[in-house]
Amino acid sequence: MEARRVIHTIEPVFDESSRVLVLGTMPSPASREVGFYYGHPQNRFWRVMESLYGLADHALDENGPRRAFLLQRHIALWDVLRSCTIAGASDASIAEPKPNDLTRILDAAPIQHVFCTGGKAAALAKRFDGSLLRERGIPLTALPSTSAANARMRLPQLVEAYEVIQASSI
């Protein structure tokens, strides 16, 4: 797949009561197509959230319920990057990254912890936002990717790893 320049077009999800911020790298082609985060049916992010919060399977299949769920649980959701060159959804192919301005959320909400969904997101967040987060005393934690490409982790292992989000958003 050929790399191309992608500009982030999905608005962040947050409000003045958001306590945790979950960051990915850049929306996948499937996410951009459906206009919401973790939109590829094989991505397990929403299955993890359903399991973690005791929701029925597929309760979070639509964008409206997903957004309401996040806001009710005080979870903000966005991506580290505003734009980059990328081949499909391959984080490994990211080049020429330009960051989103996290102060948009950090100035509006009492964010207490930032979590990144995968190693590339965490590395980019540290690179672009590490000093900002340190200045504000906000810890940054890398979580495993929920992408189907992360085949070594099964759903129960992901749910266990993501429990820190639930504990931090209360």
Side-chain angles (χ1 to χ4, degrees):
M1 178 169 283
E2 188 176 325
R4 64 184 199 99
R5 190 81 186 156
V6 175
I7 297 180
H8 199 299
T9 57
I10 303 172
E11 284 296 306
V13 176
F14 71 99
D15 66 15
E16 64 282 348
S17 67
S18 298
R19 293 191 193 109
V20 300
L21 173 57
V22 177
L23 296 171
T25 50
M26 174 65 82
S28 70
S31 294
R32 293 193 304 270
E33 186 175 311
V34 299
F36 208 74
Y37 301 92
Y38 306 101
H40 194 287
Q42 298 303 312
N43 191 299
R44 297 167 291 174
F45 182 82
W46 298 111
R47 304 293 79 83
V48 167
M49 292 297 117
E50 289 164 351
S51 183
L52 195 57
Y53 288 90
L55 302 176
D57 286 350
H58 304 287
L60 299 175
D61 279 355
E62 308 267 330
N63 293 347
R66 288 173 175 176
R67 181 178 176 73
F69 164 85
L70 293 167
L71 295 176
Q72 289 166 1
R73 305 305 187 291
H74 311 291
I75 300 169
L77 194 58
W78 206 15
D79 287 306
V80 177
L81 299 181
R82 175 177 46 86
S83 67
C84 68
T85 300
I86 187 169
S90 170
D91 280 359
S93 73
I94 289 174
E96 302 170 330
K98 303 286 186 240
N100 272 317
D101 181 3
L102 294 189
T103 60
R104 178 173 174 188
I105 295 174
L106 299 180
D107 289 349
I111 299 296
Q112 299 168 2
H113 207 124
V114 173
F115 296 97
C116 294
T117 59
K120 186 68 168 193
L124 290 165
K126 287 175 187 169
R127 174 178 161 190
F128 291 120
D129 304 303
S131 60
L132 170 69
L133 296 175
R134 278 190 302 280
E135 287 168 13
R136 293 182 182 224
I138 301 172
L140 173 75
T141 301
L143 297 173
S145 173
T146 56
S147 166
N150 181 11
R152 72 179 185 279
M153 291 202 78
R154 303 247 182 254
L155 184 62
Q157 295 168 303
L158 288 170
V159 171
E160 185 177 330
Y162 276 67
E163 286 175 351
V164 293
I165 290 177
Q166 187 178 35
S168 298
S169 64
I170 296 171

